[in-house]
């Protein structure tokens, strides 16, 4: 499992969003919605912000190892909570 890395995320202006199929088509169904909600209840703070000594609530649950790279979709060991705040 990757560990939190020192430093910051790239500014959101540098992220190029390609057209993707919908989350439901990618397998994010009701099971994921419930698992994500339960994970955020148990781990309410953003992993990146906690590392920086700040406490912001996590808005989303993300996979440490992307599903397309072989990460397990419903394994809590492959998740971390992140907020939607820019790290500029």
């Amino acid at each position: 499992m990757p560990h939190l890395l020192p430093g910051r995320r790239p500014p959101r202006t540098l992220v190029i969003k390609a057209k993707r199929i919908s989350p439901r088509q990618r397998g994010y169904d009701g099971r994921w919605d419930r698992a994500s909600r339960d994970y955020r209840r148990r781990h309410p703070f953003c992993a990146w912000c906690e590392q920086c000594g700040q406490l912001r609530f996590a808005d989303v649950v993300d996979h440490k190892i992307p599903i397309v790279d072989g990460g397990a979709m419903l394994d809590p060991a492959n998740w971390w909570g992140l907020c939607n705040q820019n790290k500029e």
Side-chain angles (χ1 to χ4, degrees):
M1 267 324 117
H3 299 284
L4 289 176
L5 301 175
R8 301 179 341 198
R9 291 183 275 192
R12 294 196 187 269
T13 56
L14 297 179
V15 177
I16 299 172
K17 293 189 176 189
K19 286 200 169 202
R20 295 169 57 164
I21 59 176
S22 76
R24 293 289 184 222
Q25 292 172 323
R26 286 184 279 142
Y28 293 94
D29 55 7
R31 280 189 320 172
W32 169 256
D33 293 341
R34 287 185 298 278
S36 171
R37 184 183 58 238
D38 292 343
Y39 184 85
R40 281 183 282 137
R41 283 185 185 144
R42 289 190 313 273
H43 304 91
F45 299 110
C46 172
W48 281 96
C49 293
E50 266 189 308
Q51 178 186 357
C52 297
Q54 300 175 0
L55 289 180
R56 287 195 179 114
F57 286 109
D59 298 312
V60 296
V61 175
D62 194 15
H63 293 91
K64 295 175 185 176
I65 300 172
I67 304 303
V68 296
D69 292 338
M73 181 166 196
L74 293 174
D75 180 9
N78 189 34
W79 300 342
W80 52 11
L82 299 174
C83 69
N84 287 324
Q85 299 292 322
N86 286 329
K87 303 292 182 191
E88 296 179 30

